[in-house]
Structure formats: C-alpha cells, structure tokens
Amino acid sequence: MKATGHISILCVAASWLLCPALALGEEERVHPPLPEPLTLSDALLIGIQSHPGLVVAQNQVAAAEISSGKVDASYGVNAFVELQPRLSSRAAADTVDFQDDSRYGLVLRKRLTDFGRTESRKEAAQSDIAASQARFVTRLDRHRLEIIRSFFAVILADHAYRARNERLAIEYFRYSRMAERRDRFEQFSDLEVAKQEAAYRKAYVARHRADLERRQRRHALALNLGRPGELSSDLVVPDLSAYRDREVPEYNDIIDEAIATSSILKAHRANVASAQAKVSITQKLNSPVLSADFEAREYHDSSFSSRDRYRLNLKFIMPLFDGTHVRDTEVALAENALAQKWAELLMAEYGVREDLLTLISDLLVNRAAIVAAEADETYRSYYQDRSRAMYEMEMRSDLGDAQAAVAEAMLEAARVNFKQVLLWAELDALLARPLALMEED
C-alpha cells in the first residue's frame, strides 16, 4: 500500500505539471524561452512539463481511471420516462373496436447485486490503474535519463569541438610552415608537404564534423525538453559531487530492494492482479443478478384492476443453461492471459536482475576509468608545462601536440565522469530512489 500511494502521489504531481500540455493545442501553447545559461535542474523540470511522450503516458492513466468509474456506475440508478401511445381492441368485445389505451410512466431501475461479478470488475479496474501509474513512473524515469544523457552530450560535443579545433590549428600551422619553407628554401619535398596537407585536411574534416555534432546534440536536447528548435547556446556543467564519493553496493545487498521497488515490476504485478480478477469475472458470467424496479404510471383508461399506479419489483435472474459454452471459452481465454502475464512478470524480473548486475559492473569499471582519466589528465598537464618551458627557451618543442593532448584528456575525463553519473541515475531509478541531480545546482 505504501508503494502504491507513492506512485499515486507522483502521478498526481505529474498531472498538475502536465495540465497546460493537456489543455492547450500545439498551436496555442506558449512557452517562456529557455533560460540562459541552462542548468540541468532547469532542463529536468522543463522536460517533464512539455514533452508529449509524458502526456501520452498520463492520458493512459486517465483512461484507466475513467474505465474504473464506468465500472462503479454499473450500480447507479437508471431513470427514464416511458411513453406508450396505443390503440387496442379488447378481447371481451364482440366487434373490433379500437379505443385509446395510451399510458405513460416513470421507471427507476437499480441493480442490487450480481453476487461478486462487479466486485471482480472493480478489482481488475483498480489493478489496471496501478499498472498504468507504474508505467507512467517508468516512462518518467526514462525520460529524465534521456534529458540527462542529452544534456551531457551537448557538453561533451563542445569539449570535442575544442579538442578537434586545437588539433586543426596544429596541423594547419605545420602544413603552412612546411609549404612556406619548401617554396622559399626547398627544405621539404612535395611529397612531405602533400603528406602534411592530407593530415591537415583530415583534421579539418574532424573539426567540421565536431562542429555539426554540437548542433545535432543541441537539437536532440531541445526535442527531449519538448522545445523543438530552441537550441541552448550555454549549458552549466552540473555539480557531480553527490555521486563522486558513493560506494558501489553489492549485488546481493540490493537485489531484493530492486525487485520490490522497480516500477517496471510493479506494472507487471498489477497486470497479473488484473488478469486474476478477469478470470474471476469470466467465472461469474452466468452468476445471478438481483435488481429492483420502481414504476409510477398513468393510464388513459384505468378501469382494469391489473393496471397499477405504482409498482415495486424485485427481479432475480438466474441463468440455468447456456448451450453456446460462452462462459467456458471466456474462462479459458482469461486463464491463458493470466499465464501469459505471469510469464511476462518473470521475464521482467530476470531483466531487472540482469540490468542491476550490469549497472554494478559498469559502475566498478567506470570508477577505475575515472582514476585512469584523472591520472592521464595530470600527466598531460605536466607534459604541457614542460613543452611550454622548452618552447620559451627556444628549444625544439612539441607544445602544440601537448596542448591537443590536454584537450583530449579533458574530454575523456568529462566523458567517464558523466557516464558514472548516468549509471548512478539509472540505478536510483531502478531502486525508486530520488534523483540527486533534481536538486538545485
């Protein structure tokens, strides 16, 4: 019950956030511009307000709730007016003599009980709501991860562009200097100059590709935020300290928690509960129905004793024989569906177990990769300092290569750090834990 309440609160909150998207058409929707610079916490908040994928998931929750209301309404009171303009010839008369025999009345009708069938329908409807809510939470978690991934991709694309630009500057300097010395002093051959020009042209292509990648990554981020065409020029690198000192848990210590809290498995368990209730529904297809009718009527000719002004009926309908075997067929189909839902739940549990072990393994490997990247970045920084000192003393130096290597090392360090955060965010989502990056940067 506690987990179900948690999901319900999330769905209500998301419904409030998504109300503008539900109420307005695409042409009527007006958004304030994206903040500049854009922080990750702002991106996460904007992304769950505007994205149509979440609106679709929320509509599925609403549809399940509407269906539940339809089941509740089956025990409501039906009221209708019955008008019967008619002419009749009485059997006691010797001749055919049509006379006005019109009548009208008010009828109230209510089902009292169907001996458990509607209760089973309510159980199925409530389970369908729980399943749709859990699927919404899963979709919300995945969308948040997509936003984080695309946000980091923009920052990495900017790092990559700077690294490629650094390499292009070096290759162009070498090519132009070599060509100049060939033309003035014949110091280099045409073959050597052509080789260096080819390196420069390749570096230009790599820089050009990196530049286009920056736009592509920003376009992908804008789509994940539900803001197509709004490309953010300046992104703030988030504070990753919340994940830096975390200890990677043991698989056996958290597997039970993952199975208990995973929104994916909650959806499948709710599907199983719904299928079980639907088996019960089909088993009660031929159950009796007790209903009550109240009739108030007026007649043009009320001389007959059988014509009651008021009538209260209790109706008990008990099916005795069904030669079409509809019930048996429906029960077999429902039991088959239940077996399928059980199998799907088991398959989903296997998937969660595998995903959890993969996440833990990736976290351990990537933690070592972070140490390696930091060591390489330190080495490249020292090497750049030495190359700069040699250059200032007018000694032969590879300062340009050293600067490019530093840029590459910074790119790799950012990449492995961002990957570690994404892995932790996936693990938090799997364990239904709050996302630390949703806090203020």
Side-chain angles (χ1 to χ4, degrees):
M1 290 297 293
K2 183 177 180 181
T4 302
H6 176 64
I7 291 178
S8 299
I9 291 171
L10 283 174
C11 289
V12 169
S15 300
W16 180 80
L17 288 171
L18 294 171
C19 276
L22 290 168
L24 298 177
E26 186 66 33
E27 68 281 359
E28 299 173 342
R29 213 173 301 160
V30 178
H31 297 296
L34 292 176
E36 289 287 348
L38 181 65
T39 65
L40 182 54
S41 58
D42 284 338
L44 288 167
L45 182 59
I46 293 168
I48 65 174
Q49 291 177 334
S50 308
H51 200 272
L54 296 179
V55 177
V56 171
Q58 185 60 27
N59 284 342
Q60 292 172 349
V61 176
E65 292 171 345
I66 292 170
S67 297
S68 177
K70 181 179 178 181
V71 174
D72 292 334
S74 64
Y75 270 88
V77 176
N78 293 324
F80 56 91
V81 174
E82 188 176 83
L83 302 177
Q84 295 186 40
R86 52 186 283 182
L87 297 174
S88 64
S89 178
R90 298 178 182 177
D94 294 334
T95 60
V96 177
D97 182 18
F98 286 98
Q99 298 180 7
D100 189 352
D101 194 24
S102 301
R103 63 197 65 186
Y104 63 90
L106 173 67
V107 180
L108 301 179
R109 184 167 295 162
K110 177 176 174 57
R111 175 177 292 189
L112 299 179
T113 180
D114 54 12
F115 298 92
R117 187 169 62 188
T118 297
E119 290 303 317
S120 296
R121 291 175 62 200
K122 288 181 180 179
E123 291 176 9
Q126 290 300 316
S127 296
D128 289 339
I129 292 175
S132 62
Q133 288 175 339
R135 285 192 294 270
F136 174 81
V137 172
T138 300
R139 183 67 186 89
L140 181 62
D141 288 339
R142 288 176 178 171
H143 186 62
R144 283 172 174 166
L145 289 171
E146 290 167 4
I147 292 173
I148 297 171
R149 188 175 290 110
S150 59
F151 191 94
F152 287 166
V154 171
I155 297 175
L156 289 175
D158 288 344
H159 277 292
Y161 174 77
R162 286 192 289 270
R164 303 295 177 267
N165 194 54
E166 189 76 33
R167 177 59 62 183
L168 175 64
I170 295 167
E171 297 298 344
Y172 176 74
F173 173 74
R174 287 174 176 170
Y175 162 63
S176 60
R177 184 180 61 175
M178 187 177 290
E180 180 183 3
R181 291 185 177 183
R182 178 200 60 185
D183 296 338
R184 295 180 61 182
F185 310 114
E186 297 183 356
Q187 184 176 353
F188 297 100
S189 66
D190 290 341
L191 175 63
E192 292 172 309
V193 173
K195 179 181 178 181
Q196 186 56 45
E197 182 181 6
Y200 156 65
R201 297 299 178 186
K202 289 180 180 179
Y204 176 81
V205 171
R207 199 280 301 268
H208 188 53
R209 183 183 297 113
D211 192 22
L212 295 177
E213 184 76 9
R214 297 169 70 203
R215 180 176 178 82
Q216 291 174 348
R217 295 305 114 214
R218 282 171 166 80
H219 179 70
L221 175 61
L223 292 179
N224 281 324
L225 297 181
R227 300 291 189 87
E230 297 187 41
L231 307 186
S232 299
S233 60
D234 187 13
L235 274 64
V236 178
V237 178
D239 180 8
L240 308 181
S241 59
Y243 296 99
R244 187 163 296 145
D245 299 326
R246 275 192 179 186
E247 288 296 326
V248 179
E250 293 290 336
Y251 174 81
N252 291 330
D253 293 341
I254 60 172
I255 180 59
D256 291 339
E257 180 184 355
I259 291 175
T261 60
S262 168
S263 60
I264 298 173
L265 295 184
K266 286 179 180 179
H268 282 284
R269 291 191 194 101
N271 286 337
V272 169
S274 176
Q276 289 172 328
K278 289 172 183 176
V279 170
S280 179
I281 292 170
T282 58
Q283 290 172 341
K284 297 170 184 175
L285 280 177
N286 293 339
S287 61
V289 176
L290 179 65
S291 61
D293 293 351
F294 173 77
E295 302 176 9
R297 298 185 182 277
E298 287 291 340
Y299 302 88
H300 182 270
D301 183 359
S302 58
S303 60
F304 291 92
S305 60
S306 61
R307 295 184 174 178
D308 304 322
R309 186 177 298 277
Y310 302 104
R311 180 183 297 173
L312 180 62
N313 298 326
L314 284 178
K315 293 183 180 179
F316 180 78
I317 300 175
M318 176 68 180
L320 296 178
F321 177 73
D322 181 9
T324 63
H325 302 289
V326 172
R327 176 187 176 278
D328 295 339
T329 302
E330 294 297 329
V331 169
L333 289 172
E335 288 176 342
N336 180 72
L338 175 59
Q340 179 178 334
K341 295 303 180 184
W342 272 116
E344 290 174 357
L345 172 59
L346 193 58
M347 289 173 58
E349 182 180 320
Y350 289 174
V352 167
R353 290 177 180 274
E354 184 176 2
D355 291 345
L356 182 62
L357 184 58
T358 300
L359 282 172
I360 291 175
S361 299
D362 289 346
L363 280 168
L364 291 171
V365 172
N366 203 71
R367 184 173 65 181
I370 290 174
V371 176
E374 290 175 347
D376 185 59
E377 188 175 6
T378 301
Y379 162 69
R380 296 298 177 184
S381 179
Y382 285 145
Y383 192 90
Q384 182 187 31
D385 291 342
R386 191 189 73 168
S387 297
R388 183 180 291 108
M390 294 176 65
Y391 179 80
E392 291 172 352
M393 290 186 294
E394 298 183 354
M395 299 174 63
R396 182 177 178 85
S397 172
D398 55 353
L399 177 58
D401 287 325
Q403 290 174 333
V406 168
E408 293 285 350
M410 292 175 62
L411 172 62
E412 178 62 14
R415 188 188 67 79
V416 293
N417 275 289
F418 288 164
K419 183 178 179 181
Q420 192 79 349
V421 172
L422 277 168
L423 291 170
W424 276 118
E426 287 185 49
L427 183 60
D428 287 342
L430 190 62
L431 298 174
R433 294 175 179 174
L435 185 63
L437 288 172
M438 283 295 289
E439 300 174 0
E440 291 295 330
D441 293 325

